[in-house]
Amino acid sequence: MAFELPALPYAANALEPHIDTRTMEIHHGKHHAGYTNNLNAAIAGTDLEGKSIEDILKGMDMNNGALRNNGGGYYNHCLFWEVMSPNGGGAPSGALASAINDAYGSFDAFKEAFAKAAATRFGSGWAWLCVHAGGKVEVCSSANQDNPMMPGIGCGGTPVLGLDVWEHAYYLNYQNRRPDYISAFWNVVNWDEVSRRFEANK
Ligand code: MN
C-alpha cells in the first residue's frame, strides 16, 4: 500500500488571513505531494512497504537521505494540516492544559518557549510540542524534515503540535517576517486535535 496525500481538512482559503490561499495550495498540492511521491519511491521494493509511517520514522536509518527527508516531510505535513482549523485559536483545556502548566508555568510562558523555538530554528525546520510517555510535555525543534520520533532528534517525544518554519510555509505572505507568521499561527491552532494527540500518546 502506497502512502497517499491526504485531502486538506478545510478549504485552501479557510485559514485566511493568517495563512494565505496560494501558500496553502502550493504547500499542500506541490510540496506535500512531492514528499508523498518521493516517500513511496524510497520504500518501493523494500521491507518498509506496508509499515506505518510512525514505525518508519522510529526505525529511521538516518543515513538514508531520501527516506529521512521524504518520510519526515510526509508525516510532518499530515500533522500540520490537522493541528490547524479555521475554528482554531484560544487555549487548550483539560489534561493538556494541566501538562502545559506543569511544564512551563502558564500557557503564555509555553507560547513564548514555542515561539522562541520556531524563531531561532536557523534555516528550514519545525517547532514542536511533544508528549513523553507518562504525560510530560516538552517544546523542541528540528532541522529540515526531521521529526522527534526519529532516532536522536529533538526531545525524543511524540509530536502533538507542529509549526512548519520553512520559508515555503510563509514567504508569499510574510516574506522575511517569520515572527509575524509565528504570531498568526496561534489564531488557527486546533487545540481539540492537539488534545486528542496528547491523550493518544501520553
Ligand atoms: Mn512545509
Side-chain angles (χ1 to χ4, degrees), residues 27 31-32 35 73 77 80-81 125-126 145 164-166 168-169:
H27 201 175
H31 291 277
H32 196 188
Y35 296 124
H77 291 85
F80 188 47
W81 312 135
W126 291 75
Q145 295 298 351
D164 188 343
V165 296
W166 284 57
H168 70 222

Side-chain angles (χ1 to χ4, degrees), residues 64-155:
N64 184 338
L67 185 64
R68 177 178 177 176
N69 292 333
N70 294 294
Y74 174 76
Y75 178 91
N76 295 345
H77 291 85
C78 289
L79 179 147
F80 188 47
W81 312 135
E82 291 189 5
V83 298
M84 297 189 290
S85 165
N87 304 312
S93 59
L96 174 60
S98 297
I100 287 173
N101 287 335
D102 287 347
Y104 292 96
S106 68
F107 180 55
D108 283 345
F110 150 74
K111 286 172 68 179
E112 195 173 318
F114 186 93
K116 183 180 179 188
T120 59
R121 167 51 60 186
F122 184 77
S124 298
W126 291 75
W128 304 105
L129 176 67
C130 292
V131 62
H132 295 282
K136 183 178 185 295
V137 295
E138 186 172 3
V139 167
C140 68
S141 74
S142 59
N144 301 317
Q145 295 298 351
D146 286 349
N147 177 293
M149 287 189 286
M150 294 177 181
I153 296 300
C155 68

